[in-house]
Amino acid sequence: MKYAVTPAPMYTLAIAGLSECFPVNRIFCVGRNYAAHAREMGKDPDRDPPFFFMKPACATVQAGASLVTIPYPPMTANFHFEIELVVAIGKGGADIPVGQALEHVYGYAVGLDMTRRDLQLDARDKGRPWEFGKSFSHSAPIGPVHRAEQVGHPKSAAISLTVNGEGRQSSDIEMMIWSVPECIACLSQYEMLEPGDIIMTGTPEGVNRVNRGDVMRGAVDGLGEIAVSVAA
Ligand code: MN
């Protein structure tokens, strides 16, 4: 195949314990999946079906225990962190039943849904798409994928984030309003999932801004830690 212009690169994630890497296809994100975070965003938590937004594959940044730096993005003065459990899809499918959803999971990772909060809220309040608040390059630093065959399917695990060593987010993934199988089942009704798809499962309370030079450390018990700094 010859391309008229240089094709975009394939974005990938490391896999813990394997030399192969995980090819990132699409990144789906769940909105308001922890009640306390929904409240801090000025919304009532509810059991309405989960809703989703997306990030491009080029949002992917390989993160891990050693510090990686992301740029401070343009057009924002309120750049926020959201620590999240990340699900890596290994087997595609549509209309996946909740009871079979975990068969489609390749593994899990720790990730950050970095957000231009000022753009997101301005769009939200004007009834416009969140797009530019959420969907931009380098906005999804994600740690190595831990294979489900090695770590199982965590239902409860501490999830936390510090900024410059100070605690900012601390919760447990068992606080998610919609579980991982429920998110997969719902999403697969709208779109046929494909291998390589990523689902970011929402953030607990405590989101806030980072400034240039800040260092974030996020963790989910059993999935390691990621260290991400914002370029000075
Ligand atoms: Mn999020």
PDB file of all heavy atoms in Angstrom, residues 134-161:
ATOM      1  N   LYS A 134     -12.339  17.251  26.054  1.00  0.00           N
ATOM      2  CA  LYS A 134     -11.955  15.885  26.397  1.00  0.00           C
ATOM      3  C   LYS A 134     -11.074  15.205  25.363  1.00  0.00           C
ATOM      4  O   LYS A 134     -10.280  14.329  25.694  1.00  0.00           O
ATOM      5  CB  LYS A 134     -13.242  15.039  26.548  1.00  0.00           C
ATOM      6  CG  LYS A 134     -14.033  15.315  27.814  1.00  0.00           C
ATOM      7  CD  LYS A 134     -13.292  14.810  29.037  1.00  0.00           C
ATOM      8  CE  LYS A 134     -14.186  14.756  30.281  1.00  0.00           C
ATOM      9  NZ  LYS A 134     -13.449  14.234  31.453  1.00  0.00           N
ATOM     10  N   SER A 135     -11.261  15.572  24.119  1.00  0.00           N
ATOM     11  CA  SER A 135     -10.710  14.786  23.015  1.00  0.00           C
ATOM     12  C   SER A 135      -9.563  15.547  22.371  1.00  0.00           C
ATOM     13  O   SER A 135      -9.792  16.389  21.510  1.00  0.00           O
ATOM     14  CB  SER A 135     -11.841  14.534  22.008  1.00  0.00           C
ATOM     15  OG  SER A 135     -11.382  13.761  20.938  1.00  0.00           O
ATOM     16  N   PHE A 136      -8.343  15.287  22.858  1.00  0.00           N
ATOM     17  CA  PHE A 136      -7.179  15.998  22.305  1.00  0.00           C
ATOM     18  C   PHE A 136      -5.926  15.160  22.524  1.00  0.00           C
ATOM     19  O   PHE A 136      -5.912  14.224  23.334  1.00  0.00           O
ATOM     20  CB  PHE A 136      -7.058  17.406  22.911  1.00  0.00           C
ATOM     21  CG  PHE A 136      -6.991  17.454  24.413  1.00  0.00           C
ATOM     22  CD1 PHE A 136      -5.779  17.543  25.067  1.00  0.00           C
ATOM     23  CD2 PHE A 136      -8.157  17.420  25.184  1.00  0.00           C
ATOM     24  CE1 PHE A 136      -5.707  17.607  26.453  1.00  0.00           C
ATOM     25  CE2 PHE A 136      -8.103  17.477  26.573  1.00  0.00           C
ATOM     26  CZ  PHE A 136      -6.881  17.566  27.210  1.00  0.00           C
ATOM     27  N   SER A 137      -4.885  15.497  21.792  1.00  0.00           N
ATOM     28  CA  SER A 137      -3.637  14.725  21.844  1.00  0.00           C
ATOM     29  C   SER A 137      -3.065  14.696  23.258  1.00  0.00           C
ATOM     30  O   SER A 137      -3.137  15.695  23.981  1.00  0.00           O
ATOM     31  CB  SER A 137      -2.596  15.342  20.911  1.00  0.00           C
ATOM     32  OG  SER A 137      -3.071  15.338  19.588  1.00  0.00           O
ATOM     33  N   HIS A 138      -2.483  13.576  23.624  1.00  0.00           N
ATOM     34  CA  HIS A 138      -1.777  13.386  24.905  1.00  0.00           C
ATOM     35  C   HIS A 138      -2.707  13.477  26.113  1.00  0.00           C
ATOM     36  O   HIS A 138      -2.225  13.693  27.229  1.00  0.00           O
ATOM     37  CB  HIS A 138      -0.642  14.406  25.071  1.00  0.00           C
ATOM     38  CG  HIS A 138       0.199  14.606  23.846  1.00  0.00           C
ATOM     39  ND1 HIS A 138       0.988  13.620  23.303  1.00  0.00           N
ATOM     40  CD2 HIS A 138       0.355  15.686  23.034  1.00  0.00           C
ATOM     41  CE1 HIS A 138       1.598  14.073  22.230  1.00  0.00           C
ATOM     42  NE2 HIS A 138       1.229  15.330  22.038  1.00  0.00           N
ATOM     43  N   SER A 139      -4.010  13.319  25.921  1.00  0.00           N
ATOM     44  CA  SER A 139      -4.937  13.491  27.046  1.00  0.00           C
ATOM     45  C   SER A 139      -5.256  12.178  27.759  1.00  0.00           C
ATOM     46  O   SER A 139      -6.092  12.174  28.669  1.00  0.00           O
ATOM     47  CB  SER A 139      -6.236  14.144  26.571  1.00  0.00           C
ATOM     48  OG  SER A 139      -6.909  13.311  25.642  1.00  0.00           O
ATOM     49  N   ALA A 140      -4.596  11.088  27.372  1.00  0.00           N
ATOM     50  CA  ALA A 140      -4.863   9.805  28.038  1.00  0.00           C
ATOM     51  C   ALA A 140      -3.571   9.053  28.358  1.00  0.00           C
ATOM     52  O   ALA A 140      -3.258   8.042  27.725  1.00  0.00           O
ATOM     53  CB  ALA A 140      -5.784   8.930  27.188  1.00  0.00           C
ATOM     54  N   PRO A 141      -2.820   9.532  29.365  1.00  0.00           N
ATOM     55  CA  PRO A 141      -1.672   8.726  29.824  1.00  0.00           C
ATOM     56  C   PRO A 141      -2.189   7.442  30.480  1.00  0.00           C
ATOM     57  O   PRO A 141      -3.082   7.500  31.336  1.00  0.00           O
ATOM     58  CB  PRO A 141      -0.993   9.634  30.866  1.00  0.00           C
ATOM     59  CG  PRO A 141      -1.546  11.014  30.624  1.00  0.00           C
ATOM     60  CD  PRO A 141      -2.934  10.807  30.080  1.00  0.00           C
ATOM     61  N   ILE A 142      -1.663   6.309  30.046  1.00  0.00           N
ATOM     62  CA  ILE A 142      -2.141   5.004  30.532  1.00  0.00           C
ATOM     63  C   ILE A 142      -0.925   4.118  30.828  1.00  0.00           C
ATOM     64  O   ILE A 142       0.029   4.080  30.046  1.00  0.00           O
ATOM     65  CB  ILE A 142      -3.061   4.331  29.479  1.00  0.00           C
ATOM     66  CG1 ILE A 142      -4.307   5.192  29.228  1.00  0.00           C
ATOM     67  CG2 ILE A 142      -3.468   2.916  29.918  1.00  0.00           C
ATOM     68  CD1 ILE A 142      -5.188   4.690  28.077  1.00  0.00           C
ATOM     69  N   GLY A 143      -0.975   3.412  31.938  1.00  0.00           N
ATOM     70  CA  GLY A 143       0.107   2.515  32.320  1.00  0.00           C
ATOM     71  C   GLY A 143       0.065   1.210  31.549  1.00  0.00           C
ATOM     72  O   GLY A 143      -0.804   0.998  30.683  1.00  0.00           O
ATOM     73  N   PRO A 144       0.997   0.315  31.832  1.00  0.00           N
ATOM     74  CA  PRO A 144       1.015  -0.984  31.150  1.00  0.00           C
ATOM     75  C   PRO A 144      -0.288  -1.746  31.396  1.00  0.00           C
ATOM     76  O   PRO A 144      -0.895  -1.638  32.462  1.00  0.00           O
ATOM     77  CB  PRO A 144       2.190  -1.723  31.803  1.00  0.00           C
ATOM     78  CG  PRO A 144       3.002  -0.670  32.467  1.00  0.00           C
ATOM     79  CD  PRO A 144       2.079   0.451  32.817  1.00  0.00           C
ATOM     80  N   VAL A 145      -0.698  -2.516  30.390  1.00  0.00           N
ATOM     81  CA  VAL A 145      -1.902  -3.344  30.506  1.00  0.00           C
ATOM     82  C   VAL A 145      -1.544  -4.627  31.257  1.00  0.00           C
ATOM     83  O   VAL A 145      -0.584  -5.318  30.902  1.00  0.00           O
ATOM     84  CB  VAL A 145      -2.463  -3.678  29.108  1.00  0.00           C
ATOM     85  CG1 VAL A 145      -3.647  -4.637  29.223  1.00  0.00           C
ATOM     86  CG2 VAL A 145      -2.859  -2.398  28.368  1.00  0.00           C
ATOM     87  N   HIS A 146      -2.318  -4.915  32.286  1.00  0.00           N
ATOM     88  CA  HIS A 146      -2.148  -6.167  33.029  1.00  0.00           C
ATOM     89  C   HIS A 146      -3.203  -7.151  32.538  1.00  0.00           C
ATOM     90  O   HIS A 146      -4.392  -6.859  32.580  1.00  0.00           O
ATOM     91  CB  HIS A 146      -2.284  -5.916  34.532  1.00  0.00           C
ATOM     92  CG  HIS A 146      -1.188  -5.047  35.086  1.00  0.00           C
ATOM     93  ND1 HIS A 146      -0.122  -5.555  35.784  1.00  0.00           N
ATOM     94  CD2 HIS A 146      -0.982  -3.709  34.984  1.00  0.00           C
ATOM     95  CE1 HIS A 146       0.697  -4.560  36.120  1.00  0.00           C
ATOM     96  NE2 HIS A 146       0.196  -3.432  35.645  1.00  0.00           N
ATOM     97  N   ARG A 147      -2.752  -8.291  32.065  1.00  0.00           N
ATOM     98  CA  ARG A 147      -3.672  -9.253  31.461  1.00  0.00           C
ATOM     99  C   ARG A 147      -4.644  -9.835  32.486  1.00  0.00           C
ATOM    100  O   ARG A 147      -4.227 -10.202  33.596  1.00  0.00           O
ATOM    101  CB  ARG A 147      -2.866 -10.388  30.823  1.00  0.00           C
ATOM    102  CG  ARG A 147      -2.139  -9.991  29.539  1.00  0.00           C
ATOM    103  CD  ARG A 147      -1.143 -11.058  29.129  1.00  0.00           C
ATOM    104  NE  ARG A 147       0.051 -10.992  29.971  1.00  0.00           N
ATOM    105  CZ  ARG A 147       0.912 -11.985  30.121  1.00  0.00           C
ATOM    106  NH1 ARG A 147       0.702 -13.141  29.526  1.00  0.00           N
ATOM    107  NH2 ARG A 147       1.978 -11.833  30.890  1.00  0.00           N
ATOM    108  N   ALA A 148      -5.894  -9.946  32.095  1.00  0.00           N
ATOM    109  CA  ALA A 148      -6.900 -10.511  33.005  1.00  0.00           C
ATOM    110  C   ALA A 148      -6.531 -11.930  33.402  1.00  0.00           C
ATOM    111  O   ALA A 148      -6.817 -12.358  34.527  1.00  0.00           O
ATOM    112  CB  ALA A 148      -8.277 -10.485  32.343  1.00  0.00           C
ATOM    113  N   GLU A 149      -5.878 -12.672  32.509  1.00  0.00           N
ATOM    114  CA  GLU A 149      -5.502 -14.049  32.849  1.00  0.00           C
ATOM    115  C   GLU A 149      -4.468 -14.069  33.985  1.00  0.00           C
ATOM    116  O   GLU A 149      -4.276 -15.104  34.617  1.00  0.00           O
ATOM    117  CB  GLU A 149      -4.955 -14.771  31.608  1.00  0.00           C
ATOM    118  CG  GLU A 149      -3.684 -14.182  31.059  1.00  0.00           C
ATOM    119  CD  GLU A 149      -3.280 -14.812  29.711  1.00  0.00           C
ATOM    120  OE1 GLU A 149      -4.176 -15.098  28.903  1.00  0.00           O
ATOM    121  OE2 GLU A 149      -2.075 -15.013  29.499  1.00  0.00           O
ATOM    122  N   GLN A 150      -3.820 -12.918  34.229  1.00  0.00           N
ATOM    123  CA  GLN A 150      -2.843 -12.845  35.315  1.00  0.00           C
ATOM    124  C   GLN A 150      -3.419 -12.199  36.572  1.00  0.00           C
ATOM    125  O   GLN A 150      -3.108 -12.629  37.676  1.00  0.00           O
ATOM    126  CB  GLN A 150      -1.636 -12.018  34.845  1.00  0.00           C
ATOM    127  CG  GLN A 150      -0.947 -12.577  33.611  1.00  0.00           C
ATOM    128  CD  GLN A 150       0.425 -13.091  33.911  1.00  0.00           C
ATOM    129  OE1 GLN A 150       1.275 -12.348  34.373  1.00  0.00           O
ATOM    130  NE2 GLN A 150       0.646 -14.365  33.668  1.00  0.00           N
ATOM    131  N   VAL A 151      -4.218 -11.132  36.380  1.00  0.00           N
ATOM    132  CA  VAL A 151      -4.682 -10.359  37.546  1.00  0.00           C
ATOM    133  C   VAL A 151      -6.165 -10.569  37.829  1.00  0.00           C
ATOM    134  O   VAL A 151      -6.687 -10.018  38.803  1.00  0.00           O
ATOM    135  CB  VAL A 151      -4.401  -8.845  37.368  1.00  0.00           C
ATOM    136  CG1 VAL A 151      -2.899  -8.597  37.248  1.00  0.00           C
ATOM    137  CG2 VAL A 151      -5.149  -8.265  36.170  1.00  0.00           C
ATOM    138  N   GLY A 152      -6.854 -11.337  36.995  1.00  0.00           N
ATOM    139  CA  GLY A 152      -8.287 -11.528  37.197  1.00  0.00           C
ATOM    140  C   GLY A 152      -9.065 -10.297  36.779  1.00  0.00           C
ATOM    141  O   GLY A 152      -8.574  -9.465  36.002  1.00  0.00           O
ATOM    142  N   HIS A 153     -10.286 -10.200  37.290  1.00  0.00           N
ATOM    143  CA  HIS A 153     -11.165  -9.076  36.966  1.00  0.00           C
ATOM    144  C   HIS A 153     -11.488  -8.338  38.260  1.00  0.00           C
ATOM    145  O   HIS A 153     -12.411  -8.731  38.980  1.00  0.00           O
ATOM    146  CB  HIS A 153     -12.444  -9.578  36.284  1.00  0.00           C
ATOM    147  CG  HIS A 153     -12.198 -10.226  34.956  1.00  0.00           C
ATOM    148  ND1 HIS A 153     -12.011  -9.512  33.799  1.00  0.00           N
ATOM    149  CD2 HIS A 153     -12.077 -11.536  34.612  1.00  0.00           C
ATOM    150  CE1 HIS A 153     -11.808 -10.349  32.785  1.00  0.00           C
ATOM    151  NE2 HIS A 153     -11.838 -11.581  33.254  1.00  0.00           N
ATOM    152  N   PRO A 154     -10.727  -7.296  38.578  1.00  0.00           N
ATOM    153  CA  PRO A 154     -10.912  -6.642  39.883  1.00  0.00           C
ATOM    154  C   PRO A 154     -12.292  -6.004  40.018  1.00  0.00           C
ATOM    155  O   PRO A 154     -12.740  -5.278  39.131  1.00  0.00           O
ATOM    156  CB  PRO A 154      -9.803  -5.573  39.901  1.00  0.00           C
ATOM    157  CG  PRO A 154      -9.434  -5.353  38.472  1.00  0.00           C
ATOM    158  CD  PRO A 154      -9.684  -6.656  37.770  1.00  0.00           C
ATOM    159  N   LYS A 155     -12.969  -6.311  41.126  1.00  0.00           N
ATOM    160  CA  LYS A 155     -14.272  -5.692  41.428  1.00  0.00           C
ATOM    161  C   LYS A 155     -14.112  -4.599  42.468  1.00  0.00           C
ATOM    162  O   LYS A 155     -14.890  -3.653  42.508  1.00  0.00           O
ATOM    163  CB  LYS A 155     -15.255  -6.752  41.941  1.00  0.00           C
ATOM    164  CG  LYS A 155     -15.765  -7.702  40.870  1.00  0.00           C
ATOM    165  CD  LYS A 155     -16.997  -8.458  41.396  1.00  0.00           C
ATOM    166  CE  LYS A 155     -17.559  -9.409  40.347  1.00  0.00           C
ATOM    167  NZ  LYS A 155     -16.644 -10.554  40.082  1.00  0.00           N
ATOM    168  N   SER A 156     -13.139  -4.765  43.355  1.00  0.00           N
ATOM    169  CA  SER A 156     -12.844  -3.729  44.321  1.00  0.00           C
ATOM    170  C   SER A 156     -11.331  -3.579  44.382  1.00  0.00           C
ATOM    171  O   SER A 156     -10.589  -4.560  44.318  1.00  0.00           O
ATOM    172  CB  SER A 156     -13.410  -4.074  45.699  1.00  0.00           C
ATOM    173  OG  SER A 156     -12.752  -5.212  46.210  1.00  0.00           O
ATOM    174  N   ALA A 157     -10.890  -2.322  44.433  1.00  0.00           N
ATOM    175  CA  ALA A 157      -9.464  -2.010  44.524  1.00  0.00           C
ATOM    176  C   ALA A 157      -9.353  -0.520  44.796  1.00  0.00           C
ATOM    177  O   ALA A 157     -10.118   0.283  44.241  1.00  0.00           O
ATOM    178  CB  ALA A 157      -8.731  -2.349  43.215  1.00  0.00           C
ATOM    179  N   ALA A 158      -8.418  -0.159  45.655  1.00  0.00           N
ATOM    180  CA  ALA A 158      -8.209   1.265  45.933  1.00  0.00           C
ATOM    181  C   ALA A 158      -7.734   1.963  44.663  1.00  0.00           C
ATOM    182  O   ALA A 158      -6.936   1.417  43.893  1.00  0.00           O
ATOM    183  CB  ALA A 158      -7.174   1.426  47.041  1.00  0.00           C
ATOM    184  N   ILE A 159      -8.248   3.174  44.433  1.00  0.00           N
ATOM    185  CA  ILE A 159      -7.831   3.995  43.292  1.00  0.00           C
ATOM    186  C   ILE A 159      -7.472   5.360  43.856  1.00  0.00           C
ATOM    187  O   ILE A 159      -8.211   5.918  44.673  1.00  0.00           O
ATOM    188  CB  ILE A 159      -8.936   4.062  42.208  1.00  0.00           C
ATOM    189  CG1 ILE A 159      -8.487   4.894  41.006  1.00  0.00           C
ATOM    190  CG2 ILE A 159     -10.273   4.549  42.766  1.00  0.00           C
ATOM    191  CD1 ILE A 159      -9.431   4.793  39.800  1.00  0.00           C
ATOM    192  N   SER A 160      -6.320   5.894  43.464  1.00  0.00           N
ATOM    193  CA  SER A 160      -5.856   7.121  44.116  1.00  0.00           C
ATOM    194  C   SER A 160      -4.985   7.945  43.186  1.00  0.00           C
ATOM    195  O   SER A 160      -4.443   7.439  42.200  1.00  0.00           O
ATOM    196  CB  SER A 160      -5.059   6.781  45.381  1.00  0.00           C
ATOM    197  OG  SER A 160      -3.903   6.039  45.020  1.00  0.00           O
ATOM    198  N   LEU A 161      -4.900   9.229  43.530  1.00  0.00           N
ATOM    199  CA  LEU A 161      -4.021  10.133  42.786  1.00  0.00           C
ATOM    200  C   LEU A 161      -3.437  11.163  43.744  1.00  0.00           C
ATOM    201  O   LEU A 161      -4.147  11.711  44.587  1.00  0.00           O
ATOM    202  CB  LEU A 161      -4.792  10.873  41.680  1.00  0.00           C
ATOM    203  CG  LEU A 161      -3.871  11.768  40.856  1.00  0.00           C
ATOM    204  CD1 LEU A 161      -3.378  11.045  39.630  1.00  0.00           C
ATOM    205  CD2 LEU A 161      -4.505  13.075  40.481  1.00  0.00           C
TER     206      LEU A 161
END
